[in-house]
Amino acid sequence: MQKYICEVCGYIYDPAAGDPDSGVAPGTAFEDLPADWVCPVCGATKDQFSPTD
């Protein structure tokens, strides 16, 4: 699955790990994150993330 990077702080969302602190289970694709999910480091919204190379 594709990883995504926060353009604001550099946090990388890894679908294999999910975001357990925000209630996102491992294996959750970026596209399947809730619309109101934000970067756990800086609070950036999903539209401020881009796919990693």
Side-chain angles (χ1 to χ4, degrees):
M1 280 191 273
Q2 178 70 54
K3 294 180 183 179
Y4 282 74
I5 188 167
C6 177
E7 297 169 357
V8 176
C9 73
Y11 167 81
I12 294 178
Y13 175 75
D14 182 354
D19 181 12
D21 292 341
S22 298
V24 177
T28 303
F30 185 82
E31 295 81 9
D32 295 332
L33 290 171
D36 61 351
W37 180 85
V38 295
C39 176
V41 175
C42 73
T45 56
K46 283 179 67 176
D47 64 348
Q48 294 177 291
F49 278 73
S50 58
T52 60
D53 292 332

